[in-house]
Amino acid sequence: FIVCIDTSESMTGRPEQIAKVLCMGILKMASRENRRAYLINFSIGIKTLDLYDIANSIDELAKFLSMSFYGGTDVTPALYEALNQLRTNDYQDADILLISDFIMPKINRDALQSVRYCQQNQGTQFYSLTLGSSMSAT
């Protein structure tokens, strides 16, 4: 799995908390299946965490998930990082999940072409989950 989590200012609060809880759920599934996971935390820049052994990486994971940028949003560096990971042996068969409120400028055309290439030629699945600040607890 490759999971990109938006921690820009517009995700502050409940949306970011939900995104990180969802990420933990995905990691729990990956751990049960002995799969690796690559996390990308993004806003203007990115921070990454390669989890070889999820069950024994709880401290690293907690530190990573506590990070937030609280700046603007540029998904392009996160997409390029995810695409770079698809070129490695460890993640060549990975699917990509992007969790964001999608309040951001248009995605770079070259990045979108690379996404389409991976979808059409490698069978990579790209998923998105949209969260917003208007979400309320029920």
Side-chain angles (χ1 to χ4, degrees):
F1 293 101
I2 300 173
V3 182
C4 304
I5 304 170
D6 181 353
T7 60
S8 65
E9 187 170 357
S10 62
M11 287 284 288
T12 301
R14 193 153 183 86
E16 184 177 337
Q17 291 170 345
I18 292 169
K20 291 177 177 181
V21 168
L22 290 169
C23 181
M24 287 297 297
I26 291 166
L27 294 176
K28 187 175 180 181
M29 289 183 339
S31 180
R32 270 192 242 131
E33 297 173 12
N34 291 324
R35 293 179 68 179
R36 298 171 63 135
Y38 194 85
L39 305 182
I40 303 170
N41 182 337
F42 74 95
S43 175
I44 296 279
I46 64 170
K47 296 286 183 181
T48 63
L49 179 61
D50 191 355
L51 295 170
Y52 300 92
D53 180 7
I54 296 168
N56 292 313
S57 303
I58 300 302
D59 290 340
E60 274 184 289
L61 181 58
K63 182 178 176 185
F64 182 83
L65 290 176
S66 70
M67 288 189 293
S68 296
F69 284 104
Y70 300 128
T73 309
D74 185 0
V75 71
T76 301
L79 274 179
Y80 278 130
E81 178 62 21
L83 292 164
N84 285 336
Q85 290 306 313
L86 291 175
R87 293 183 192 102
T88 68
N89 288 334
D90 294 329
Y91 293 102
Q92 65 187 359
D93 296 326
D95 291 329
I96 298 173
L97 171 63
L98 179 60
I99 304 172
S100 176
D101 58 6
F102 292 91
I103 298 172
M104 62 181 73
K106 283 188 172 185
I107 298 173
N108 175 295
R109 182 179 293 181
D110 290 337
L112 287 176
Q113 288 175 341
S114 294
V115 165
R116 283 189 203 99
Y117 176 86
C118 290
Q119 288 173 318
Q120 294 169 354
N121 298 298
Q122 295 174 225
T124 305
Q125 297 293 313
F126 288 80
Y127 300 94
S128 64
L129 178 63
T130 304
L131 302 173
S133 60
S134 62
M135 300 181 79
S136 60
T138 55

